[in-house]
Amino acid sequence: MRSTLLRIWVLCWLILVWCLLWGEFTPANVVSGLAVALLITLLLPLPAVPVEGRVHPLSLVWLVLSVAYRLALSSVQVALLAIKPGPPPLSAVLRAHLAVKSDFVLALAVTIFNLIPGSIVVEIDQTRRMLYMHVIDVGSERTVRQFYKQVAVVERLLVRAFERDEDWRPAREEAP
């Protein structure tokens, strides 16, 4: 039942995206969107993602609000760096370790860090859960500490939303 509802949701989402790309909701766009959505889901199925934890809605809302705040704040900081007279800010590649358990949450973390202006993930060490990020403005010890504090906050919010110890159920490894 859950699988069927998920497939219906994906089809509806793809139809919506198709109609938005065409710019209007017409019967022809909905039918052609259904055809494209069926082709995509039947010919290009996504691999199953193991569910190892549990989603905590309030923590997820707090994560979204915190990330939105950080997006706005970082956008202003990068804009100020862009118009500030003088030499460009010092940038560097910094390494950050994340104590997340699942690849799914690691991918979410990478997406969040790539969305926040001023940093971008350039390499992921999946086995050691290490991210290498290019960061703008590392000219002082304070800005470097702020960067690592931001990483720790996002990591903590992700764990609270998806990977609490009491809910963690590791996925079974499938034999090849």
Side-chain angles (χ1 to χ4, degrees):
M1 179 66 173
R2 182 177 177 192
S3 174
T4 304
L5 288 174
L6 183 61
R7 288 175 193 256
I8 291 170
W9 167 251
V10 169
L11 286 174
C12 291
W13 180 254
L14 289 172
I15 292 168
L16 174 68
V17 169
W18 182 261
C19 290
L20 290 174
L21 286 172
W22 282 102
E24 58 185 347
F25 288 93
T26 63
N29 281 346
V30 172
V31 170
S32 62
L34 176 62
V36 169
L38 285 171
L39 279 173
I40 289 171
T41 56
L42 294 175
L43 297 179
L44 305 169
L46 291 172
V49 176
V51 176
E52 299 170 316
R54 195 176 126 225
V55 176
H56 294 270
L58 288 175
S59 296
L60 182 60
V61 168
W62 188 248
L63 170 69
V64 169
L65 291 174
S66 177
V67 169
Y69 168 75
R70 291 178 191 293
L71 287 170
L73 180 64
S74 294
S75 295
V76 170
Q77 290 171 339
V78 170
L80 290 174
L81 286 173
I83 62 172
K84 180 179 156 186
L90 182 64
S91 63
V93 175
L94 300 178
R95 179 180 63 193
H97 178 266
L98 295 180
V100 297
K101 300 171 188 168
S102 74
D103 290 340
F104 176 72
V105 175
L106 181 64
L108 280 176
V110 168
T111 302
I112 289 169
F113 293 127
N114 282 340
L115 286 174
I116 296 174
S119 68
I120 188 161
V121 177
V122 293
E123 186 177 340
I124 305 166
D125 183 344
Q126 186 177 0
T127 56
R128 295 186 329 180
R129 300 295 195 232
M130 201 73 71
L131 300 180
Y132 297 87
M133 293 185 254
H134 182 268
V135 181
I136 297 175
D137 193 19
V138 293
S140 71
E141 188 65 35
R142 183 182 67 80
T143 56
V144 173
R145 276 195 315 269
Q146 283 177 335
F147 166 75
Y148 283 114
K149 181 181 175 189
Q150 175 175 286
V151 169
V153 167
V154 170
E155 173 190 30
R156 188 173 58 251
L157 291 170
L158 284 166
V159 168
R160 279 184 26 209
F162 301 106
E163 293 186 339
R164 293 183 185 178
D165 287 335
E166 63 267 16
D167 299 326
W168 187 252
R169 305 285 182 266
R172 288 179 284 159
E173 296 285 328
E174 298 209 11

